Amino acid sequence: MAKILKMVAQRLALGLLTLFAVSLIIFLGVELLPGDFAQEILGQSATPETVAAFRRELGLDLPWYTRYFDWLGGIFHGDFGKSFASDREVSELIGGRLLNTLFLAAVAAVISVPIAVALGVLAALYRNTLFDRTINVFTLTSISFPDFFVAYILILFLSVSWNIFPSISNVSSDLGFWEHVYRVILPALTLTLVIIAHMMRMTRASIINLLASPYIEMAMLKGISRSRIVTHHALPNALAPIINVIVINLAFLVVGVVVVEVVFVYPGLGQLLVDSVAKRDMPVVQASCLIFAATYILLNLTADVLSKLTNPRLLHPK
Amino acid sequence: MARIWKLLKSAPPTALFGLIVIVAYILIAIFGPILTPYGESEIVGTQFIPRGEQGFILGTDNLGRDMLTRLIYGARNTIGIAFVTTCLAFLIGGVLGLMATTLGGWVDQLLGRLVDVLMAIPILIFALLILTITGTSVPVLILVIAVLDSTRVFRLARAVSMNIVVLDFVEAARLRGEGTSWIITREILPNALPPLVAEFGLRFCFVFLFISALSFLGLGIQPPTADWGSMVRDNATLITYGEITPLMPAAAIALLTVGVNFVVDWFLHKTSGIRDDK
């Protein structure tokens, strides 16, 4: 147990260190890249006086380390600064949208994970049959589709032709839970189709890998049925890589929402980020990037810890 | 020639399909200007003329430009930019990765940690951050994506060459007094090539999809350059009327990536000897 705690603490420390480095990159990016940000925003026709005044207003005339620690300190209090474009607090802009994004990602995860694992197990079980090949071609194809293509195909069929689901996911906080789910079902389905292939292929590969090991041969010689071998002998040992790939795909999901949110005009963090990039609203972009990066790092860290926990051998490196 | 023919005969139908698609796209990209009836951004009619009417096979887009013409020009721009970006990413990542293993020591450590930090940020988020600062233009786009993508190439090149660099023939070359560049190009690279070639196909798909996604978001290739991602974005309103023309460029993207993936899949099976039935 002490060993596990130590491992978790180590990983956490490493994650925090990475996050610190990432925050530095996000902040310094503005600093190191060529061009004067104030000048860019105001345009070529701005007089030097206006540019200087604008720089003072944004605090750009202070040295970078002062601003960095101000910024970082503010984040710990939930204060991300003020948006350039709308003069509102960034935290106010982000708050509700972050929840929306997490909700969408959660719905997509709930749909995709069970289907992916089930299909992966089935494909491993009926290896090299027509079923397996069909799934293989299907997953290769779905990996190759751009997100927005999948999204528009779903809109075309499920929304325009048959009118089952709404093509625009306009949600507000006063909607009931199921109404909310109903409105995000199309974006969630899009995300599902995008990430399911990778999870399924990894599940299949890790189970097939295990089926070659001696204890599986033993179980076969005992005369146990194929499905029992897969579910009782292979699956528990394949859990580590499967959990790993699931969590990594969840991390991907958090980023994959960006394009999907734009297609479905869903008021999430991704859409805010894209809008802010177009408007070059730096504080909002920095804050959203930091949140996305933090989620991503945290999920990858979870994957690391979980795969170690499910395989005790990894805890005792030789 | 006979060998190539034999190889093609042994290829599964999916790989053949992929090869045909790739060749067709390359031909269209090269001969684009000959094939198209109009100029790249020439306005030839009113907006949104339906398919097949007034001699426009695919109709016109939101500004009254011929869809077919823009689709063909899009092949040039989108594939061209994605290809250049992937090459650049491989140049950066491949050279640094092979250097890291050959030189070892602090070079390896420094590059490794740098790549770790860069990879901790999702590539789309990172690209959006940089594009906010620099603004979008094609050279910036190519450079940013190539640098970000080269981290993935670096990882693979390092992992592959790590197993090669400890082999006896590399040791022998070192004792012979060969320089670093000789060891990399003559000893390690030839042995590390198959996985890197396969990775090139996969990275190309990734970059291609990535640039299309950025263009779709309005942050990639800028108008009036014809590009498949932004074509979908410009004409997306038509989809709500049940019209499929805006999906054509998206389908064009999907078809090429499917083709490349099929070929890479076959190539991987052939070179690595991975068999499912062991």
Side-chain angles (χ1 to χ4, degrees):
Chain A
M1 197 60 207
K3 228 171 184 154
I4 294 177
L5 280 180
K6 193 177 158 213
M7 187 266 294
V8 172
Q10 261 175 0
R11 292 283 137 183
L12 218 56
L14 198 65
L16 276 179
L17 199 68
T18 319
L19 203 56
F20 181 71
V22 167
S23 77
L24 207 60
I25 291 178
I26 289 179
F27 190 83
L28 284 185
V30 193
E31 216 61 34
L32 296 179
L33 286 159
D36 181 8
F37 193 71
Q39 182 81 54
E40 291 264 357
I41 289 280
L42 295 173
Q44 289 301 327
S45 57
T47 60
E49 289 82 41
T50 13
V51 174
F54 189 59
R55 286 177 67 89
R56 222 177 0 264
E57 194 193 320
L58 300 179
L60 284 177
D61 50 347
L62 297 170
W64 68 267
Y65 46 85
T66 325
R67 281 183 292 125
Y68 174 68
F69 286 110
D70 275 355
W71 181 66
L72 203 64
I75 289 172
F76 284 116
H77 299 106
D79 172 22
F80 286 92
K82 260 196 171 128
S83 152
F84 286 174
S86 64
D87 216 36
R88 287 171 63 192
E89 289 289 328
V90 175
S91 49
E92 194 185 318
L93 286 170
I94 285 177
R97 283 170 172 268
L98 179 61
L99 285 181
N100 282 343
T101 293
L102 291 179
F103 183 78
L104 173 59
V107 174
V110 167
I111 302 176
S112 58
V113 172
I115 299 180
V117 174
L119 282 180
V121 171
L122 283 176
L125 210 75
Y126 300 103
R127 187 159 29 121
N128 293 332
T129 59
L130 187 66
F131 172 74
D132 182 26
R133 294 222 176 100
T134 318
I135 285 205
N136 193 27
V137 169
F138 168 76
T139 50
L140 258 189
T141 316
S142 83
I143 290 176
S144 323
F145 279 14
D147 308 3
F148 51 87
F149 186 43
V150 178
Y152 281 125
I153 291 178
L154 287 181
I155 289 184
L156 192 64
F157 284 109
L158 295 179
S159 171
V160 177
S161 298
W162 293 323
N163 211 357
I164 309 172
F165 298 111
S167 67
I168 287 178
S169 312
N170 53 339
V171 293
S172 50
S173 50
D174 52 320
L175 289 176
F177 177 75
W178 290 110
E179 180 64 20
H180 204 144
V181 172
Y182 172 70
R183 297 208 181 169
V184 300
I185 217 77
L186 273 191
L189 273 182
T190 310
L191 287 169
T192 301
L193 285 173
V194 172
I195 62 167
I196 212 169
H198 187 225
M199 285 196 278
M200 189 241 118
R201 280 172 87 94
M202 288 299 287
T203 308
R204 175 182 178 277
S206 43
I207 287 184
I208 284 179
N209 217 357
L210 276 175
L211 287 181
S213 43
Y215 69 89
I216 297 288
E217 204 172 351
M218 178 68 209
M220 272 186 199
L221 291 175
K222 273 198 312 198
I224 306 178
S225 72
R226 250 183 110 71
S227 57
R228 204 183 145 80
I229 289 177
V230 168
T231 51
H232 282 71
H233 295 259
L235 199 55
N237 284 300
L239 269 184
I242 293 176
I243 289 176
N244 205 5
V245 82
I246 287 176
V247 181
I248 286 173
N249 270 288
L250 293 187
F252 174 80
L253 201 62
V254 174
V255 181
V257 290
V258 175
V259 173
V260 174
E261 277 179 7
V262 172
V263 175
F264 290 96
V265 206
Y266 183 72
L269 195 57
Q271 207 194 31
L272 179 71
L273 175 59
V274 172
D275 286 348
S276 308
V277 172
K279 281 189 236 155
R280 308 186 78 174
D281 191 345
M282 211 56 214
V284 182
V285 174
Q286 281 176 326
S288 326
C289 284
L290 195 64
I291 291 175
F292 274 121
T295 322
Y296 190 76
I297 292 172
L298 198 69
L299 281 170
N300 277 320
L301 194 122
T302 318
D304 218 27
V305 170
L306 279 181
S307 63
K308 284 233 165 94
L309 287 185
T310 46
N311 188 351
R313 265 171 299 181
L314 292 177
L315 271 181
H316 307 279
K318 288 202 184 92
Chain B
M1 197 62 208
R3 252 181 70 204
I4 295 174
W5 189 242
K6 206 173 155 199
L7 193 72
L8 283 181
K9 260 190 170 167
S10 72
T14 46
L16 279 181
F17 168 78
L19 281 174
I20 293 171
V21 168
I22 294 172
V23 171
Y25 272 71
I26 293 174
L27 289 180
I28 290 176
I30 293 173
F31 296 108
I34 306 171
L35 296 169
T36 48
Y38 308 101
E40 182 176 355
S41 45
E42 188 185 338
I43 294 169
V44 290
T46 51
Q47 64 167 7
F48 293 140
I49 296 173
R51 264 177 300 151
E53 281 178 28
Q54 297 175 30
F56 300 115
I57 301 171
L58 293 178
T60 57
D61 70 356
N62 61 329
L63 295 177
R65 296 168 297 193
D66 182 35
M67 275 293 263
L68 182 66
T69 306
R70 298 208 31 101
L71 203 58
I72 292 173
Y73 270 102
R76 287 197 129 188
N77 302 329
T78 318
I79 298 174
I81 291 176
F83 185 73
V84 171
T85 310
T86 319
C87 291
L88 196 60
F90 263 76
L91 201 67
I92 303 172
V95 168
L96 289 182
L98 294 178
M99 251 170 65
T101 40
T102 321
L103 295 175
W106 64 270
V107 180
D108 189 21
Q109 282 296 324
L110 185 74
L111 287 172
R113 292 296 83 75
L114 188 70
V115 165
D116 277 349
V117 173
L118 285 182
M119 281 180 78
I121 312 177
I123 196 163
L124 176 66
I125 303 302
F126 210 150
L128 287 180
L129 177 75
I130 298 178
L131 291 176
T132 318
I133 304 162
T134 57
T136 40
S137 66
V138 171
V140 170
L141 202 63
I142 291 179
L143 204 65
V144 168
I145 300 176
V147 169
L148 292 182
D149 207 45
S150 68
T151 55
R152 275 72 179 169
V153 182
F154 173 84
R155 274 279 176 92
L156 183 83
R158 188 173 172 278
V160 171
S161 57
M162 207 142 74
N163 295 325
I164 300 171
V165 86
V166 291
L167 293 180
D168 289 344
F169 59 85
V170 179
E171 191 66 41
R174 279 223 174 98
L175 290 175
R176 238 174 23 236
E178 306 287 5
T180 311
S181 62
W182 166 285
I183 293 180
I184 289 178
T185 51
R186 297 294 178 88
E187 308 288 343
I188 298 179
L189 194 59
N191 291 293
L193 217 48
L196 284 178
V197 170
E199 182 71 5
F200 187 87
L202 296 179
R203 298 284 11 136
F204 171 78
C205 286
F206 179 82
V207 169
F208 184 57
L209 287 175
F210 190 74
I211 291 180
S212 305
L214 277 182
S215 301
F216 173 76
L217 294 175
L219 305 168
I221 302 167
Q222 297 295 314
T225 310
D227 157 76
W228 289 338
S230 35
M231 280 175 77
V232 178
R233 170 195 174 86
D234 291 344
N235 303 297
T237 39
L238 280 184
I239 293 173
T240 41
Y241 301 105
E243 182 58 58
I244 59 154
T245 11
L247 289 182
M248 297 286 209
I253 297 168
L255 189 63
L256 180 62
T257 17
V258 171
V260 175
N261 264 325
F262 278 158
V263 175
V264 169
D265 206 38
W266 171 55
F267 183 82
L268 273 179
H269 264 259
K270 266 204 101 56
T271 52
S272 68
I274 301 173
R275 298 269 179 273
D276 278 343
D277 43 10
K278 47 173 162 177

mmCIF file with all atom_site columns, all heavy atoms in Angstrom, chain A residues 110-129:
data_model
loop_
_atom_site.group_PDB
_atom_site.id
_atom_site.type_symbol
_atom_site.label_atom_id
_atom_site.label_alt_id
_atom_site.label_comp_id
_atom_site.label_asym_id
_atom_site.label_entity_id
_atom_site.label_seq_id
_atom_site.pdbx_PDB_ins_code
_atom_site.Cartn_x
_atom_site.Cartn_y
_atom_site.Cartn_z
_atom_site.occupancy
_atom_site.B_iso_or_equiv
_atom_site.pdbx_formal_charge
_atom_site.auth_seq_id
_atom_site.auth_comp_id
_atom_site.auth_asym_id
_atom_site.auth_atom_id
_atom_site.pdbx_PDB_model_num
ATOM 1   N N   . VAL A 1 110 ? -20.054 7.474   -21.958 1.00 0.00 ? 110 VAL A N   1
ATOM 2   C CA  . VAL A 1 110 ? -21.009 6.458   -21.493 1.00 0.00 ? 110 VAL A CA  1
ATOM 3   C C   . VAL A 1 110 ? -21.493 5.610   -22.669 1.00 0.00 ? 110 VAL A C   1
ATOM 4   O O   . VAL A 1 110 ? -21.683 4.399   -22.558 1.00 0.00 ? 110 VAL A O   1
ATOM 5   C CB  . VAL A 1 110 ? -22.191 7.133   -20.764 1.00 0.00 ? 110 VAL A CB  1
ATOM 6   C CG1 . VAL A 1 110 ? -23.332 6.157   -20.561 1.00 0.00 ? 110 VAL A CG1 1
ATOM 7   C CG2 . VAL A 1 110 ? -21.720 7.691   -19.442 1.00 0.00 ? 110 VAL A CG2 1
ATOM 8   N N   . ILE A 1 111 ? -21.675 6.241   -23.836 1.00 0.00 ? 111 ILE A N   1
ATOM 9   C CA  . ILE A 1 111 ? -22.122 5.469   -24.999 1.00 0.00 ? 111 ILE A CA  1
ATOM 10  C C   . ILE A 1 111 ? -20.976 4.640   -25.575 1.00 0.00 ? 111 ILE A C   1
ATOM 11  O O   . ILE A 1 111 ? -21.137 3.463   -25.884 1.00 0.00 ? 111 ILE A O   1
ATOM 12  C CB  . ILE A 1 111 ? -22.661 6.402   -26.116 1.00 0.00 ? 111 ILE A CB  1
ATOM 13  C CG1 . ILE A 1 111 ? -23.814 7.236   -25.567 1.00 0.00 ? 111 ILE A CG1 1
ATOM 14  C CG2 . ILE A 1 111 ? -23.132 5.597   -27.319 1.00 0.00 ? 111 ILE A CG2 1
ATOM 15  C CD1 . ILE A 1 111 ? -24.327 8.249   -26.571 1.00 0.00 ? 111 ILE A CD1 1
ATOM 16  N N   . SER A 1 112 ? -19.786 5.251   -25.707 1.00 0.00 ? 112 SER A N   1
ATOM 17  C CA  . SER A 1 112 ? -18.751 4.607   -26.525 1.00 0.00 ? 112 SER A CA  1
ATOM 18  C C   . SER A 1 112 ? -17.986 3.498   -25.808 1.00 0.00 ? 112 SER A C   1
ATOM 19  O O   . SER A 1 112 ? -17.670 2.479   -26.426 1.00 0.00 ? 112 SER A O   1
ATOM 20  C CB  . SER A 1 112 ? -17.770 5.664   -27.038 1.00 0.00 ? 112 SER A CB  1
ATOM 21  O OG  . SER A 1 112 ? -17.188 6.347   -25.964 1.00 0.00 ? 112 SER A OG  1
ATOM 22  N N   . VAL A 1 113 ? -17.684 3.674   -24.516 1.00 0.00 ? 113 VAL A N   1
ATOM 23  C CA  . VAL A 1 113 ? -16.814 2.704   -23.853 1.00 0.00 ? 113 VAL A CA  1
ATOM 24  C C   . VAL A 1 113 ? -17.391 1.279   -23.852 1.00 0.00 ? 113 VAL A C   1
ATOM 25  O O   . VAL A 1 113 ? -16.707 0.344   -24.287 1.00 0.00 ? 113 VAL A O   1
ATOM 26  C CB  . VAL A 1 113 ? -16.442 3.179   -22.429 1.00 0.00 ? 113 VAL A CB  1
ATOM 27  C CG1 . VAL A 1 113 ? -15.713 2.093   -21.670 1.00 0.00 ? 113 VAL A CG1 1
ATOM 28  C CG2 . VAL A 1 113 ? -15.587 4.428   -22.506 1.00 0.00 ? 113 VAL A CG2 1
ATOM 29  N N   . PRO A 1 114 ? -18.651 1.074   -23.389 1.00 0.00 ? 114 PRO A N   1
ATOM 30  C CA  . PRO A 1 114 ? -19.169 -0.301  -23.403 1.00 0.00 ? 114 PRO A CA  1
ATOM 31  C C   . PRO A 1 114 ? -19.209 -0.910  -24.806 1.00 0.00 ? 114 PRO A C   1
ATOM 32  O O   . PRO A 1 114 ? -18.824 -2.055  -24.998 1.00 0.00 ? 114 PRO A O   1
ATOM 33  C CB  . PRO A 1 114 ? -20.590 -0.156  -22.849 1.00 0.00 ? 114 PRO A CB  1
ATOM 34  C CG  . PRO A 1 114 ? -20.664 1.162   -22.226 1.00 0.00 ? 114 PRO A CG  1
ATOM 35  C CD  . PRO A 1 114 ? -19.639 2.019   -22.877 1.00 0.00 ? 114 PRO A CD  1
ATOM 36  N N   . ILE A 1 115 ? -19.634 -0.108  -25.810 1.00 0.00 ? 115 ILE A N   1
ATOM 37  C CA  . ILE A 1 115 ? -19.715 -0.631  -27.171 1.00 0.00 ? 115 ILE A CA  1
ATOM 38  C C   . ILE A 1 115 ? -18.335 -1.029  -27.666 1.00 0.00 ? 115 ILE A C   1
ATOM 39  O O   . ILE A 1 115 ? -18.156 -2.108  -28.249 1.00 0.00 ? 115 ILE A O   1
ATOM 40  C CB  . ILE A 1 115 ? -20.325 0.422   -28.129 1.00 0.00 ? 115 ILE A CB  1
ATOM 41  C CG1 . ILE A 1 115 ? -21.739 0.771   -27.683 1.00 0.00 ? 115 ILE A CG1 1
ATOM 42  C CG2 . ILE A 1 115 ? -20.355 -0.098  -29.554 1.00 0.00 ? 115 ILE A CG2 1
ATOM 43  C CD1 . ILE A 1 115 ? -22.411 1.794   -28.569 1.00 0.00 ? 115 ILE A CD1 1
ATOM 44  N N   . ALA A 1 116 ? -17.338 -0.169  -27.425 1.00 0.00 ? 116 ALA A N   1
ATOM 45  C CA  . ALA A 1 116 ? -15.986 -0.445  -27.922 1.00 0.00 ? 116 ALA A CA  1
ATOM 46  C C   . ALA A 1 116 ? -15.428 -1.724  -27.316 1.00 0.00 ? 116 ALA A C   1
ATOM 47  O O   . ALA A 1 116 ? -14.897 -2.576  -28.029 1.00 0.00 ? 116 ALA A O   1
ATOM 48  C CB  . ALA A 1 116 ? -15.074 0.734   -27.617 1.00 0.00 ? 116 ALA A CB  1
ATOM 49  N N   . VAL A 1 117 ? -15.563 -1.861  -25.982 1.00 0.00 ? 117 VAL A N   1
ATOM 50  C CA  . VAL A 1 117 ? -15.008 -3.052  -25.332 1.00 0.00 ? 117 VAL A CA  1
ATOM 51  C C   . VAL A 1 117 ? -15.742 -4.311  -25.804 1.00 0.00 ? 117 VAL A C   1
ATOM 52  O O   . VAL A 1 117 ? -15.114 -5.325  -26.138 1.00 0.00 ? 117 VAL A O   1
ATOM 53  C CB  . VAL A 1 117 ? -15.079 -2.910  -23.795 1.00 0.00 ? 117 VAL A CB  1
ATOM 54  C CG1 . VAL A 1 117 ? -14.647 -4.187  -23.117 1.00 0.00 ? 117 VAL A CG1 1
ATOM 55  C CG2 . VAL A 1 117 ? -14.202 -1.757  -23.339 1.00 0.00 ? 117 VAL A CG2 1
ATOM 56  N N   . ALA A 1 118 ? -17.063 -4.239  -25.888 1.00 0.00 ? 118 ALA A N   1
ATOM 57  C CA  . ALA A 1 118 ? -17.837 -5.394  -26.331 1.00 0.00 ? 118 ALA A CA  1
ATOM 58  C C   . ALA A 1 118 ? -17.438 -5.804  -27.748 1.00 0.00 ? 118 ALA A C   1
ATOM 59  O O   . ALA A 1 118 ? -17.183 -6.986  -28.012 1.00 0.00 ? 118 ALA A O   1
ATOM 60  C CB  . ALA A 1 118 ? -19.330 -5.078  -26.269 1.00 0.00 ? 118 ALA A CB  1
ATOM 61  N N   . LEU A 1 119 ? -17.369 -4.831  -28.652 1.00 0.00 ? 119 LEU A N   1
ATOM 62  C CA  . LEU A 1 119 ? -16.998 -5.148  -30.036 1.00 0.00 ? 119 LEU A CA  1
ATOM 63  C C   . LEU A 1 119 ? -15.589 -5.709  -30.114 1.00 0.00 ? 119 LEU A C   1
ATOM 64  O O   . LEU A 1 119 ? -15.316 -6.640  -30.868 1.00 0.00 ? 119 LEU A O   1
ATOM 65  C CB  . LEU A 1 119 ? -17.094 -3.897  -30.921 1.00 0.00 ? 119 LEU A CB  1
ATOM 66  C CG  . LEU A 1 119 ? -18.488 -3.484  -31.375 1.00 0.00 ? 119 LEU A CG  1
ATOM 67  C CD1 . LEU A 1 119 ? -18.405 -2.242  -32.242 1.00 0.00 ? 119 LEU A CD1 1
ATOM 68  C CD2 . LEU A 1 119 ? -19.156 -4.614  -32.131 1.00 0.00 ? 119 LEU A CD2 1
ATOM 69  N N   . GLY A 1 120 ? -14.676 -5.155  -29.300 1.00 0.00 ? 120 GLY A N   1
ATOM 70  C CA  . GLY A 1 120 ? -13.300 -5.633  -29.289 1.00 0.00 ? 120 GLY A CA  1
ATOM 71  C C   . GLY A 1 120 ? -13.219 -7.079  -28.845 1.00 0.00 ? 120 GLY A C   1
ATOM 72  O O   . GLY A 1 120 ? -12.538 -7.904  -29.466 1.00 0.00 ? 120 GLY A O   1
ATOM 73  N N   . VAL A 1 121 ? -13.949 -7.407  -27.775 1.00 0.00 ? 121 VAL A N   1
ATOM 74  C CA  . VAL A 1 121 ? -13.954 -8.784  -27.279 1.00 0.00 ? 121 VAL A CA  1
ATOM 75  C C   . VAL A 1 121 ? -14.546 -9.718  -28.336 1.00 0.00 ? 121 VAL A C   1
ATOM 76  O O   . VAL A 1 121 ? -13.995 -10.788 -28.624 1.00 0.00 ? 121 VAL A O   1
ATOM 77  C CB  . VAL A 1 121 ? -14.758 -8.872  -25.963 1.00 0.00 ? 121 VAL A CB  1
ATOM 78  C CG1 . VAL A 1 121 ? -14.956 -10.318 -25.558 1.00 0.00 ? 121 VAL A CG1 1
ATOM 79  C CG2 . VAL A 1 121 ? -14.035 -8.113  -24.872 1.00 0.00 ? 121 VAL A CG2 1
ATOM 80  N N   . LEU A 1 122 ? -15.654 -9.308  -28.938 1.00 0.00 ? 122 LEU A N   1
ATOM 81  C CA  . LEU A 1 122 ? -16.290 -10.138 -29.963 1.00 0.00 ? 122 LEU A CA  1
ATOM 82  C C   . LEU A 1 122 ? -15.355 -10.362 -31.149 1.00 0.00 ? 122 LEU A C   1
ATOM 83  O O   . LEU A 1 122 ? -15.236 -11.477 -31.660 1.00 0.00 ? 122 LEU A O   1
ATOM 84  C CB  . LEU A 1 122 ? -17.586 -9.481  -30.451 1.00 0.00 ? 122 LEU A CB  1
ATOM 85  C CG  . LEU A 1 122 ? -18.775 -9.623  -29.503 1.00 0.00 ? 122 LEU A CG  1
ATOM 86  C CD1 . LEU A 1 122 ? -19.968 -8.867  -30.045 1.00 0.00 ? 122 LEU A CD1 1
ATOM 87  C CD2 . LEU A 1 122 ? -19.121 -11.093 -29.299 1.00 0.00 ? 122 LEU A CD2 1
ATOM 88  N N   . ALA A 1 123 ? -14.673 -9.289  -31.570 1.00 0.00 ? 123 ALA A N   1
ATOM 89  C CA  . ALA A 1 123 ? -13.780 -9.421  -32.716 1.00 0.00 ? 123 ALA A CA  1
ATOM 90  C C   . ALA A 1 123 ? -12.628 -10.361 -32.398 1.00 0.00 ? 123 ALA A C   1
ATOM 91  O O   . ALA A 1 123 ? -12.181 -11.122 -33.255 1.00 0.00 ? 123 ALA A O   1
ATOM 92  C CB  . ALA A 1 123 ? -13.242 -8.050  -33.130 1.00 0.00 ? 123 ALA A CB  1
ATOM 93  N N   . ALA A 1 124 ? -12.141 -10.322 -31.138 1.00 0.00 ? 124 ALA A N   1
ATOM 94  C CA  . ALA A 1 124 ? -11.068 -11.222 -30.747 1.00 0.00 ? 124 ALA A CA  1
ATOM 95  C C   . ALA A 1 124 ? -11.574 -12.665 -30.709 1.00 0.00 ? 124 ALA A C   1
ATOM 96  O O   . ALA A 1 124 ? -10.882 -13.609 -31.078 1.00 0.00 ? 124 ALA A O   1
ATOM 97  C CB  . ALA A 1 124 ? -10.525 -10.818 -29.382 1.00 0.00 ? 124 ALA A CB  1
ATOM 98  N N   . LEU A 1 125 ? -12.800 -12.803 -30.271 1.00 0.00 ? 125 LEU A N   1
ATOM 99  C CA  . LEU A 1 125 ? -13.419 -14.138 -30.130 1.00 0.00 ? 125 LEU A CA  1
ATOM 100 C C   . LEU A 1 125 ? -13.643 -14.776 -31.499 1.00 0.00 ? 125 LEU A C   1
ATOM 101 O O   . LEU A 1 125 ? -13.355 -15.949 -31.719 1.00 0.00 ? 125 LEU A O   1
ATOM 102 C CB  . LEU A 1 125 ? -14.758 -13.981 -29.416 1.00 0.00 ? 125 LEU A CB  1
ATOM 103 C CG  . LEU A 1 125 ? -15.204 -15.167 -28.579 1.00 0.00 ? 125 LEU A CG  1
ATOM 104 C CD1 . LEU A 1 125 ? -14.390 -15.191 -27.318 1.00 0.00 ? 125 LEU A CD1 1
ATOM 105 C CD2 . LEU A 1 125 ? -16.661 -15.037 -28.231 1.00 0.00 ? 125 LEU A CD2 1
ATOM 106 N N   . TYR A 1 126 ? -14.162 -13.995 -32.432 1.00 0.00 ? 126 TYR A N   1
ATOM 107 C CA  . TYR A 1 126 ? -14.431 -14.517 -33.777 1.00 0.00 ? 126 TYR A CA  1
ATOM 108 C C   . TYR A 1 126 ? -13.381 -13.989 -34.732 1.00 0.00 ? 126 TYR A C   1
ATOM 109 O O   . TYR A 1 126 ? -13.682 -13.368 -35.742 1.00 0.00 ? 126 TYR A O   1
ATOM 110 C CB  . TYR A 1 126 ? -15.834 -14.111 -34.229 1.00 0.00 ? 126 TYR A CB  1
ATOM 111 C CG  . TYR A 1 126 ? -16.891 -14.646 -33.309 1.00 0.00 ? 126 TYR A CG  1
ATOM 112 C CD1 . TYR A 1 126 ? -17.522 -13.830 -32.370 1.00 0.00 ? 126 TYR A CD1 1
ATOM 113 C CD2 . TYR A 1 126 ? -17.243 -15.992 -33.356 1.00 0.00 ? 126 TYR A CD2 1
ATOM 114 C CE1 . TYR A 1 126 ? -18.461 -14.327 -31.504 1.00 0.00 ? 126 TYR A CE1 1
ATOM 115 C CE2 . TYR A 1 126 ? -18.183 -16.498 -32.492 1.00 0.00 ? 126 TYR A CE2 1
ATOM 116 C CZ  . TYR A 1 126 ? -18.787 -15.658 -31.563 1.00 0.00 ? 126 TYR A CZ  1
ATOM 117 O OH  . TYR A 1 126 ? -19.715 -16.172 -30.708 1.00 0.00 ? 126 TYR A OH  1
ATOM 118 N N   . ARG A 1 127 ? -12.121 -14.213 -34.356 1.00 0.00 ? 127 ARG A N   1
ATOM 119 C CA  . ARG A 1 127 ? -11.017 -13.679 -35.124 1.00 0.00 ? 127 ARG A CA  1
ATOM 120 C C   . ARG A 1 127 ? -10.975 -14.250 -36.533 1.00 0.00 ? 127 ARG A C   1
ATOM 121 O O   . ARG A 1 127 ? -11.246 -15.425 -36.748 1.00 0.00 ? 127 ARG A O   1
ATOM 122 C CB  . ARG A 1 127 ? -9.729  -14.025 -34.388 1.00 0.00 ? 127 ARG A CB  1
ATOM 123 C CG  . ARG A 1 127 ? -8.506  -13.421 -34.932 1.00 0.00 ? 127 ARG A CG  1
ATOM 124 C CD  . ARG A 1 127 ? -7.456  -13.409 -33.847 1.00 0.00 ? 127 ARG A CD  1
ATOM 125 N NE  . ARG A 1 127 ? -7.644  -14.505 -32.906 1.00 0.00 ? 127 ARG A NE  1
ATOM 126 C CZ  . ARG A 1 127 ? -6.728  -15.426 -32.680 1.00 0.00 ? 127 ARG A CZ  1
ATOM 127 N NH1 . ARG A 1 127 ? -5.609  -15.416 -33.334 1.00 0.00 ? 127 ARG A NH1 1
ATOM 128 N NH2 . ARG A 1 127 ? -6.933  -16.364 -31.781 1.00 0.00 ? 127 ARG A NH2 1
ATOM 129 N N   . ASN A 1 128 ? -10.629 -13.365 -37.503 1.00 0.00 ? 128 ASN A N   1
ATOM 130 C CA  . ASN A 1 128 ? -10.472 -13.767 -38.896 1.00 0.00 ? 128 ASN A CA  1
ATOM 131 C C   . ASN A 1 128 ? -11.741 -14.291 -39.557 1.00 0.00 ? 128 ASN A C   1
ATOM 132 O O   . ASN A 1 128 ? -11.686 -14.942 -40.586 1.00 0.00 ? 128 ASN A O   1
ATOM 133 C CB  . ASN A 1 128 ? -9.358  -14.816 -39.052 1.00 0.00 ? 128 ASN A CB  1
ATOM 134 C CG  . ASN A 1 128 ? -8.014  -14.214 -38.732 1.00 0.00 ? 128 ASN A CG  1
ATOM 135 O OD1 . ASN A 1 128 ? -7.818  -13.014 -38.899 1.00 0.00 ? 128 ASN A OD1 1
ATOM 136 N ND2 . ASN A 1 128 ? -7.096  -15.026 -38.247 1.00 0.00 ? 128 ASN A ND2 1
ATOM 137 N N   . THR A 1 129 ? -12.869 -14.052 -38.927 1.00 0.00 ? 129 THR A N   1
ATOM 138 C CA  . THR A 1 129 ? -14.119 -14.386 -39.603 1.00 0.00 ? 129 THR A CA  1
ATOM 139 C C   . THR A 1 129 ? -14.585 -13.141 -40.363 1.00 0.00 ? 129 THR A C   1
ATOM 140 O O   . THR A 1 129 ? -13.965 -12.079 -40.279 1.00 0.00 ? 129 THR A O   1
ATOM 141 C CB  . THR A 1 129 ? -15.216 -14.777 -38.603 1.00 0.00 ? 129 THR A CB  1
ATOM 142 O OG1 . THR A 1 129 ? -15.414 -13.662 -37.733 1.00 0.00 ? 129 THR A OG1 1
ATOM 143 C CG2 . THR A 1 129 ? -14.827 -15.998 -37.807 1.00 0.00 ? 129 THR A CG2 1
#
